[in-house]
Structures are given as structure tokens and as C-alpha cells.
Amino acid sequence: MSKMMIRGGVPLHGVVQVRGAKNGVTKMMLAALMTREPVVLHNVPNIADVAMTVDLCRSLGADITWDCAAGVMTLQLETLRQEFVSQRFSGANRLPILLLGALMGRGERECMVPVVGGCALGRRPVDFHLSALQAMGANVVYRALSRDGAYLVSAPQGGLRGTTIELPFPSVGATENALFAACGAAGTTTIHNAAIEPEIHDLVLMLQKMGAVIVLHADRSWVVQGGYPLKGVSHTVQGDRIIGASYAMAALGTGGEITVEGLTPQLMSHFHPVVTQLGGGYRCEGEKITYFAQGPLKGGLHIETGVYPGFATDWQQPLTVLLTQAAQPSVVHETVYEKRFGYVEMLQKMGGKVEVSSHCLGAPCRFHGHNFPHSAIIWGQSQLTGTQLHIPDLRAGFAYILAALMAEGQSTIHGLGFVQRGYEALEETLTNLGAEVQID
Ligand code: EPU
């Protein structure tokens, strides 16, 4: 599937089954490499990032079976085939860097991973990851190779040592890397200013079931007692709150009603106030949440994205698109990534009245004074018109799909591969919801 044609203006109605979170399951697959015993994961989504992670784990010698339809995956890495992650994974996504922590946590003495990629949302460095490992005594060397570069990490004599780590920012990936490594380190590691996203809680839950001793303190610090042997586990991945919110916004934006199944209201509790403020509605029943429009969207919102429990940065792009339809202007201040408004140019081309600003439109954040385009004023009341859209990254991709669903006329969306990294059965899901979609 390379491009998708959407004729907009059709209210979407129906049910979407949401499976496990991309940003949880892929890390759990790496956590599975920390034991020699089999690990079974349930509720695994059939998305490209999972397929890529299967490939990554297999390259290290993992035996993997994956029933895509049932969403069940078994992984086992009895013997590590090589400590070097192939250069072909360089730039693919953010996962190879987490192998440093996972393989050190498994007890390996040395490993080398290529530089990482991921969506182009700014510089996306890995300095916090490397500093955390160095704080535990690891020796980190950057090697320039024929294609890109790689980080070579080796444990000191006697292995990694537990320590106190101060993250400069609650980075999701750096927290996960430090948690992994700390499981294999001698003594106690405290990770201060850590990320506490629901996907990390779910990962910790899995690690605890594997035998790890990890607790969360009230000041957002994870405390890990290292050195407990990790065993096999069976774990069900919690639902993807980004997918849930994406389809919720599709219901609100098209004037329809969509039930997302497989998500608890707790997971969406930081999103629901925004639904209410927008003038939309929702009903919860167990693990089903129904989102519906109730007349025109209100707007007048001031949203600042932030680390959990803040408003998720991955909800920002579709929300900005949605706000172009609201009666009142709104402001969105992106405080996690310095360049996450790249998609706005195309939205403006469609008729979206949005202005991007380098100022902090809200409380000064760490991008203050750096001239990063990280705030937006969305004036609302925009008539969007279908056009040719080229997707720059995963979440912007769904934002374009949403814009196309709300627009007058036809849009052609190129570069769907980005969206397929995180969204399962896109065409089928949209068609089932009643959208006029064609794939070429
Ligand atoms: N940062 C650094 N140095 C580091 C690490 C991070 O400066 O060593 C900065 C980043 O540049 C960024 C901020 O810290 O400005 C936050 O980055 P974080 O490390 O938290 O992000 P990540 O782990 O690379 C994960 C998700 C992202 C999601 C963010 C924030 C995965 C695979 N990716 O990225 O998801 O936006 O956390 O919640 O888990 C997506 O799903 O589309 C996506 C981009």
C-alpha cells in the first residue's frame, strides 16, 4: 500500500478493536531477550514496527513465532548469536539503542548497536541513554563505520554497578534503557526524573513478573534492586492509547460515533477532559469507550503537551487538525519535541488556519529562546479541501488521514508506510467505519 485516496465529508460510525501499544510491545520484545526462557506476549498488534523488531531480535539469535491474527508471540533467546547489532538496523527506528540496556541487563559483557533513527521530530539524541549506562560503570565508545556509526558499550570488571541516575528530562527511551541495565547491575539503581508513561508501567509489570525487583517512588523515581535472575513470562500488552485517541478524534472530526474496544478509561483519562472541552462526548463500558460528536466543536483550548501525566505529544498532530474545525481559536504548545509541527505546512495548503510560532505559547519550556517552531495558534473555522499529501512521520500521517476525512473533495496521501509502522489494518478499519477510501 503506497498511497491512499480519501473522499472526505463522511461521518464515521462503527467499532475499532485496539490491540497492544506499539510503544509498549516493542520494548517488551527486547525485555524478552533478558532471559533465556520463553516469553509469551498476547495482544500483539500486526504493525510494521513489531515486524521490524522481530527481525532485530532474530538477528541476535532469538527464536520467534508470531500468530499475527491471534496477536500471540513467543520469543526465546537461549544463546546470543552476536553482540553486534547489524548496520542494516541503523536509522530504522529507536529500538536498537535499547538493546544496550537489554543485553547488559541479560549479563552480556559487551554490545554494539548502530546509531538510531525514528520519526524526524528534531535532533532526537541518545546522550541520556549513554550517560545512564556510563553512570553504572559502562565504557561507551562511538565508532565511525562504513555506513553511519555505532556505539560500543562494555561492562567494567565485575559488571555494571547500581547507582543514582539523574535524567535531565524524563525521556521514555532513556528510562527504559536504564531500567533494563539496572536489572542486571549489582546493587540498587535509582533513576530520578524518570518517565512514568503507562507503557513503562506495563513494561515494569512484565519485568516484575519475570522476577525483577522494581518500585516507583512518589517523586517519579524508579528504584531497581539488580541481580535477580529473570525468568520466562506470559504477558498481555495493554491497549494503545494513541490509536484509541486517533479514532476518537476521527469520530469527533467527522461528526460520527466510534467505539474503541480494548482500552480502559484509566488509560485515556488525560485525553477525556479535552474531548469534553471540545464539546464531544464519550461513554465508557468496561474496556469499550464510545466517542461521539454532539454538534460543532467548541475550541478555545490551551494545550501543552508534556511527559506523562501531561497531554501526550503523540496526540498533538491529530488534535491540531481537529482544532481547525472548532468555533473558537486554540493554542497548542509542544514541549516534548522541538520540531513536531512540520506537518502544518500541508495542513495550511488544505486551508487550515494555523500559525506556527517559535515562542513558548504557555509556560516557558526547555525550548524557550531556541527559535524552535514548537507552538501553534489554530484559528478554527477552516474549510479544508482535499489535496496531495506527503506523510513526513507516523503521527503526522494519521493527522493527514484525519484532515482528508474532514476535507471537501478528494485527497491523495503518499507515504503510508510511516502510518503502517503503528496503525494496524488501516484501509480495512477506515472502510469498516464507512470512510470512502481507495488504495493504489
Ligand atoms: N532526548 C534527549 N536525549 C536523549 C533522549 C531523549 O535529548 O538521550 C529528548 C528527545 O530529543 C525529545 C525528548 O527527550 O525531545 C523526549 O524523548 P524520549 O526519549 O522520551 O522519546 P523516545 O523514547 O525516543 C518515545 C516514543 C515516541 C514518543 C516519546 C514521548 C517509542 C518507540 N517512541 O520516544 O513515540 O513520542 O517517547 O512520549 O516509544 C510515536 O509513537 O510516533 C513516537 C514518536
Side-chain angles (χ1 to χ4, degrees):
M1 196 201 296
S2 65
K3 64 180 180 194
M4 180 182 260
M5 275 76 72
I6 296 181
R7 183 160 293 283
V10 182
L12 301 190
H13 289 272
V15 178
V16 176
Q17 184 64 47
V18 177
R19 292 208 280 184
K22 166 182 90 71
N23 293 343
V25 65
T26 47
K27 324 298 174 63
M28 291 171 186
M29 291 169 69
L30 304 189
L33 308 184
M34 293 169 64
T35 171
R36 282 157 183 77
E37 296 181 17
V39 168
V40 185
L41 296 175
H42 300 267
N43 205 25
V44 175
N46 186 5
I47 53 174
D49 264 20
V50 168
M52 218 186 292
T53 312
V54 166
D55 203 13
L56 179 66
C57 295
R58 280 193 177 136
S59 76
L60 297 174
D63 266 334
I64 301 181
T65 59
W66 180 16
D67 180 339
C68 300
V72 180
M73 183 181 287
T74 325
L75 308 95
Q76 185 170 18
L77 180 60
E78 278 192 281
T79 313
L80 186 70
R81 183 186 294 153
Q82 58 193 42
E83 297 85 15
F84 306 146
V85 177
S86 160
Q87 282 283 294
R88 76 189 163 89
F89 296 105
S90 145
N93 62 20
R94 310 284 295 160
L95 291 169
I97 196 75
L98 299 183
L99 279 169
L100 292 176
L103 294 182
M104 293 314 236
R106 179 183 164 94
E108 300 300 331
R109 311 290 311 163
E110 193 172 74
C111 56
M112 187 161 85
V113 302
V115 291
V116 292
C119 291
L121 313 173
R123 297 165 304 121
R124 303 198 73 182
V126 292
D127 49 337
F128 307 162
H129 299 244
L130 303 178
S131 303
L133 293 166
Q134 281 168 325
M136 287 186 239
N139 183 37
V140 180
V141 179
Y142 176 78
R143 288 239 176 116
L145 299 176
S146 54
R147 186 184 141 195
D148 299 323
Y151 300 104
L152 174 64
V153 172
S154 43
Q157 194 75 24
L160 296 186
R161 296 181 298 269
T163 188
T164 298
I165 295 167
E166 285 290 341
L167 290 177
F169 183 78
S171 152
V172 168
T175 300
E176 291 160 341
N177 228 341
L179 282 169
F180 286 159
C183 287
T188 306
T189 300
T190 304
I191 311 163
H192 286 301
N193 199 27
I196 51 169
E197 267 59 11
E199 294 74 24
I200 300 189
H201 277 276
D202 201 20
L203 178 66
V204 166
L205 200 59
M206 173 183 166
L207 288 167
Q208 287 171 336
K209 282 155 64 181
M210 290 171 77
V213 177
I214 305 176
V215 291
L216 177 64
H217 284 193
D219 63 349
R220 64 183 312 142
S221 305
W222 292 106
V223 180
V224 185
Q225 293 287 334
Y228 286 83
L230 299 185
K231 54 182 189 287
V233 70
S234 172
H235 188 76
T236 301
V237 188
Q238 102 195 334
D240 194 317
R241 63 197 168 105
I242 315 296
I243 305 286
S246 301
Y247 287 107
M249 289 190 257
L252 266 51
T254 62
E257 175 165 321
I258 296 178
T259 300
V260 294
E261 292 188 356
L263 281 179
T264 59
Q266 286 87 338
L267 263 182
M268 304 303 285
S269 65
H270 301 272
F271 175 71
H272 285 165
V274 171
V275 173
T276 304
Q277 286 172 307
L278 271 167
Y282 64 94
R283 293 186 293 277
C284 304
E285 191 197 335
E287 294 209 349
K288 285 186 199 173
I289 312 173
T290 302
Y291 296 94
F292 50 90
Q294 334 181 81
L297 296 175
K298 289 182 182 155
L301 269 66
H302 183 196
I303 300 288
E304 297 199 71
T305 66
V307 296
Y308 192 84
F311 189 85
T313 169
D314 298 324
W315 292 333
Q316 180 260 100
Q317 300 88 332
L319 179 73
T320 298
V321 169
L322 199 59
L323 291 172
T324 64
Q325 305 304 296
Q328 298 295 321
S330 297
V331 168
V332 175
H333 180 204
E334 168 65 60
T335 74
V336 179
Y337 291 110
E338 66 268 37
K339 285 191 186 160
R340 219 176 186 183
F341 282 112
Y343 65 94
V344 162
E345 206 178 314
M346 291 258 191
L347 187 58
Q348 289 164 332
K349 225 174 89 184
M350 293 179 82
K353 295 181 210 150
V354 183
E355 256 173 68
V356 175
S357 164
S358 296
H359 296 288
C360 291
L361 298 181
C365 73
R366 67 204 169 102
F367 306 137
H368 181 69
H370 286 286
N371 206 23
F372 294 131
H374 71 293
S375 293
I377 304 169
I378 303 107
W379 293 106
Q381 300 191 29
S382 308
Q383 174 60 62
L384 302 182
T385 309
T387 186
Q388 300 280 328
L389 295 160
H390 294 267
I391 295 177
D393 66 74
L394 165 57
R395 303 302 169 193
F398 191 86
Y400 284 169
I401 290 173
L402 178 59
L405 290 167
M406 301 188 316
E408 201 172 84
Q410 180 169 299
S411 300
T412 304
I413 305 175
H414 303 265
L416 284 172
F418 282 111
V419 191
Q420 288 161 333
R421 284 185 50 191
Y423 290 76
E424 204 172 17
L426 198 54
E427 181 195 3
E428 193 188 322
T429 307
L430 290 173
T431 305
N432 288 344
L433 292 172
E436 287 190 28
V437 179
Q438 260 189 336
I439 295 295
D440 194 5

